[in-house]
Amino acid sequence: GVSQQMFAGMLLLASVNGGQASNLCALIACLDVPLSVLMTMSTTLSGILATPFLNKVVLGTVVPVDAGGILRSAMQVVLVPICLGIASKAAAPRLCTTLSPAIPTVGIVVSVLVVGATVASC
């Protein structure tokens, strides 16, 4: 069997939302990016309630969740970039069309830098 600590870790990991990487993968694969963003936001916001609830039901203990921090993060990582993208497309549609082919590469580079900086600070 799996130890209690390992089980708790797997449960917490399963409670984490999809994140920005799934949206980037949807873009690169020419899939439905708005649907991917919607699903990412849904799992992020539902995780505020679902994570403590699942941990209480399954593990018998409550894991505190910083709801304000999650909402701030969702605003910074999802809503602000979407609003900037919509505004950019409205203000400079030709520029956005010209830059569009480079966006997946830029997304990958930024993701690698963010993950690298996070791992480097550990």
Side-chain angles (χ1 to χ4, degrees):
V2 177
S3 71
Q4 182 71 13
Q5 291 86 2
M6 182 69 78
F7 184 71
M10 289 190 308
L11 181 64
L12 287 172
L13 186 59
S15 299
V16 176
N17 63 309
Q20 169 265 343
S22 66
N23 301 329
L24 180 59
C25 290
L27 175 66
I28 291 169
C30 298
L31 298 175
D32 193 344
V33 176
L35 177 62
S36 178
V37 170
L38 176 65
M39 295 303 294
T40 300
M41 281 299 295
S42 299
T43 58
T44 298
L45 296 177
S46 66
I48 293 171
L49 298 175
T51 301
F53 174 76
L54 287 173
N55 281 280
K56 179 67 175 168
V57 169
V58 176
L59 300 175
T61 184
V62 175
V63 175
V65 173
D66 179 11
I70 291 173
L71 292 174
R72 273 189 304 283
S73 175
M75 293 285 289
Q76 294 169 346
V77 175
V78 179
L79 293 179
V80 169
I82 287 173
C83 291
L84 288 174
I86 291 169
S88 298
K89 184 86 171 177
R94 292 213 289 196
L95 177 64
C96 290
T97 302
T98 303
L99 295 176
S100 183
I103 296 301
T105 304
V106 171
I108 291 169
V109 169
V110 169
S111 295
V112 167
L113 292 173
V114 168
V115 169
T118 303
V119 170
S121 69
C122 290

